[in-house]
Amino acid sequence: MRTGIWLIGARGSVAVTATVGALALKARLTDTTGCVTELPQLNSPALPAWGDLVLGGHDIVSTPVVKKAEALAAAGVLPGRLVAALTDELTAHEENVRPLPAADTQERTAQLIAADIHGFRARHSLDVVVVINVSTTEPIFSDRKATLGSLPGSSLAAYAAFSAGCPFIDFTPSTGARLPFLDSYARSRGVCYAGNDGKTGETLVKSVLAPMFAMRHLRVRSWSGLNLLGGGDGANLADPAANAAKVASKQRVLGDALGYEPSGTSRIDYVEEIGDFKTAWDLVTFQGFLGTGMRVEFTWHGCDSALAAPLVLDLARLTAAAQRSGRTGPLPELGFFFKDPIGDGPSALAEQWAQLAGLVASFEDPA
């Protein structure tokens, strides 16, 4: 199944890491470590092959993808040997990246975005194109009755994707397709969607530890985390409004998994010097038998783009297969990948995994 991945934010760190990864997998220059769709429970013949993936997208910046890849290699995010080996492919990839259109109305802007996606699909003879938002985090958008004409950028991208007959994934905590009229529109267009906010670090650990406390009937009294990150995402989150959207997404898993809200919060600070890497330190206080107080501390140090990029590729493969199988509307089974999943579903990672495996098992063998 020839599958396009159209990235909103195609010149950013996550998108370029995903692009280099997809090209390297196609050329068999790397292995599939980090790609969950390669695990036996999910490795279905219904998923598009790595060699059938074609990437493109929109961005508001003009930095050549190969230059961004070289910068990521210099920062220790990407292996320099891969970037050097794929220079020709990354240069050719520029033809698939377009400036994000802007017009005098949102309707016209959506039409221009959709036209670029249609052109991409036609040029590469693609069976399906999955649109994935990996752009910067937006402030919280509270107008649930919003319609075309007053949409935040992520929701306009979702509308344009649906207009083009494409499924949409929001890998950010932005609003995306989380509006009632967009749900109705997606169903009317016969397309599926999922999100929000990729689960790559501290929240991934929370989704494992919080259910443990619940299953052991231990009362969590407080759970606080300090997150330090650099790079473009960190710089964007220095904005208080965008920071608030991210923090709300990170904390939501605790209430869902525990059944109550412990005290404490997540804090996100920008540290320019650490670049695309991030460190999270969490302190958990809990109460055991006879009221005995105890605590857990953990530190997570990871590379944000290297953790996120394989999940972007996984989501594209899974969503393409879901679209091909006739799914429309939200895909709650993809909650495994998100901090704040769309639709009803569990928050515990093990339960999310079982639900994801069930989705893959439902796909029919295309042969």
Side-chain angles (χ1 to χ4, degrees):
M1 176 171 47
R2 293 273 294 170
T3 299
I5 306 175
W6 190 261
L7 299 167
I8 307 297
R11 301 186 189 276
S13 297
V14 172
V16 172
T17 303
T19 300
V20 171
L23 292 171
L25 287 167
K26 184 176 183 178
R28 300 185 179 180
L29 295 176
T30 191
D31 63 26
T32 57
T33 299
C35 299
V36 300
T37 48
E38 284 297 302
L39 291 170
Q41 301 93 322
L42 303 183
N43 191 4
S44 166
L47 301 182
W50 296 112
D52 287 336
L53 300 180
V54 183
L55 281 75
H58 281 125
D59 211 315
I60 60 173
V61 301
S62 58
T63 304
V65 171
V66 68
K67 294 298 183 184
K68 180 67 174 183
E70 289 170 351
L72 290 171
V77 176
L78 294 173
R81 63 174 182 82
L82 280 184
V83 176
L86 295 168
T87 297
D88 290 345
E89 289 84 351
L90 289 168
T91 301
H93 170 71
E94 283 293 329
E95 296 181 4
N96 293 330
V97 181
R98 298 283 188 269
L100 184 66
D104 55 350
T105 67
Q106 286 201 327
E107 182 175 6
R108 180 57 182 155
T109 299
Q111 290 171 350
L112 293 173
I113 293 172
D116 281 344
I117 297 171
H118 280 303
F120 173 64
R121 179 162 47 198
R123 285 194 307 276
H124 297 282
S125 301
L126 302 170
D127 298 300
V128 62
V129 177
V130 180
V131 179
I132 304 181
N133 180 29
V134 287
S135 62
T136 54
T137 298
E138 296 170 346
I140 294 173
F141 183 78
S142 58
D143 184 4
R144 308 304 296 170
K145 296 181 180 180
T147 57
L148 187 60
S150 59
L151 298 178
S154 62
S155 299
L156 184 61
Y159 179 85
F162 299 157
S163 297
C166 299
F168 177 81
I169 302 291
D170 197 344
F171 204 76
T172 81
S174 303
T175 305
R178 282 185 181 272
L179 294 173
F181 104 93
L182 286 175
D183 174 69
S184 299
Y185 188 50
R187 293 174 192 271
S188 72
R189 298 289 296 167
V191 294
C192 52
Y193 65 90
N196 291 66
D197 200 4
K199 183 165 55 183
T200 60
E202 179 200 31
T203 311
L204 179 65
V205 180
K206 284 180 176 179
S207 68
V208 176
L209 284 183
M212 177 198 73
F213 286 110
M215 287 187 285
R216 281 295 309 273
H217 201 196
L218 299 169
R219 181 77 181 182
V220 175
R221 309 301 300 181
S222 68
W223 196 316
S224 292
L226 171 62
N227 296 257
L228 307 175
L229 69 160
D233 193 33
N236 177 63
L237 293 176
D239 171 46
N243 194 297
K246 188 76 170 181
V247 166
S249 176
K250 291 174 71 65
Q251 285 294 94
R252 197 162 287 123
V253 65
L254 293 179
D256 291 344
L258 295 171
Y260 55 90
E261 296 279 354
S263 65
T265 187
S266 287
R267 175 178 164 181
I268 304 173
D269 287 350
Y270 174 51
V271 182
E272 183 179 3
E273 294 303 314
I274 63 177
D276 201 59
F277 290 78
K278 61 183 180 182
T279 296
W281 174 77
D282 277 44
L283 171 64
V284 185
T285 64
F286 64 98
Q287 180 179 309
F289 189 51
L290 304 179
T292 304
M294 292 167 270
R295 60 194 282 170
V296 172
E297 299 175 43
F298 69 84
T299 302
W300 174 277
H301 180 69
C303 178
D304 201 40
S305 295
L307 290 164
L311 303 186
V312 168
L313 300 177
D314 285 328
L315 282 163
R317 298 179 78 200
L318 291 161
T319 305
Q323 180 70 28
R324 189 174 186 273
S325 71
R327 289 291 300 268
T328 61
L331 295 172
E333 298 95 333
L334 297 184
F336 175 84
F337 295 94
F338 299 110
K339 296 182 181 75
D340 187 17
I342 288 175
D344 295 328
S347 295
L349 193 69
E351 295 175 36
Q352 290 176 332
W353 172 259
Q355 196 174 57
L356 177 60
L359 172 67
V360 173
S362 73
F363 296 152
E364 293 184 5
D365 187 336

